[in-house]
């Protein structure tokens, strides 16, 4: 059995614990650097009453905290399911190099976890988005831009 398959088994076992304990859906994820697991998490949406507490996001947060960086260059995201748009965006922000997943978004939709509305909204927003000019926000951006030694991410 490959290391990736072993990591998927571990992520699935952790996610099973989350499911059976009522903490969240059937999703588990790990962040791996080389052959070392930096972090492993399961979905905690129900436990935390937090719609962003997806396994992938939690694993990214834990791995970044562990290594002391906002970037996970060279790392692989191992996940029991193809990442949703939020988790995929988080993986991009974290500079993850590779994603390995077991189940597809269609498999997730078949058990009630459909991302179709989110993908559609990305092409044509379904909620109002209103821009309001604001001097405080403009000053905030100018301060960031002019800050010496800022850490760009």
């Amino acid at each position: 059995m490959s290391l990736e398959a072993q990591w998927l088994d571990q992520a699935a076992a952790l996610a099973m614990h989350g499911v059976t304990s009522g903490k969240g859906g059937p999703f588990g994820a790990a962040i791996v650097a080389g052959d070392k697991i930096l972090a492993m998490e399961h979905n905690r949406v129900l436990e935390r009453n937090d719609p962003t507490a997806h396994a992938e996001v939690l694993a990214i947060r834990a791995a970044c905290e562990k290594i002391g960086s906002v970037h996970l260059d060279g790392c692989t995201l191992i996940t029991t399911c193809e990442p949703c748009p939020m988790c995929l965006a988080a993986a991009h922000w974290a500079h993850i190099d590779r994603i390995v997943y077991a189940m597809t978004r269609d498999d997730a939709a078949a058990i009630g976890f459909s991302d179709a509305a989110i993908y559609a909204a990305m092409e044509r927003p379904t909620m109002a988005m209103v821009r309001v000019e604001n001097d405080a926000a403009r000053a905030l951006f100018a301060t960031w831009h002019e800050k010496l030694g800022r850490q760009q991410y």
Side-chain angles (χ1 to χ4, degrees), residues 82-141:
E82 181 178 359
C84 74
M86 176 184 68
C87 294
L88 184 59
H92 278 285
W93 278 111
H95 296 189
I96 288 173
D97 288 356
R98 192 164 170 260
I99 298 173
V100 174
Y101 63 94
M103 306 303 285
T104 69
R105 70 174 95 161
D106 293 330
D107 296 323
I111 61 168
F113 293 95
S114 179
D115 298 334
I118 299 170
Y119 283 105
M122 289 168 52
E123 293 184 20
R124 181 176 289 160
T126 57
M127 63 183 74
M129 293 181 61
V130 179
R131 179 168 186 233
V132 176
E133 293 286 334
N134 181 274
D135 290 338
R138 188 178 328 300
L140 176 63
F141 272 52

Side-chain angles (χ1 to χ4, degrees), residues 62-93:
C64 287
E65 186 171 341
K66 183 174 186 172
I67 67 168
S69 175
V70 297
H71 293 149
L72 296 170
D73 296 292
C75 290
T76 298
L77 168 61
I78 305 288
T79 180
T80 57
C81 189
E82 181 178 359
C84 74
M86 176 184 68
C87 294
L88 184 59
H92 278 285
W93 278 111

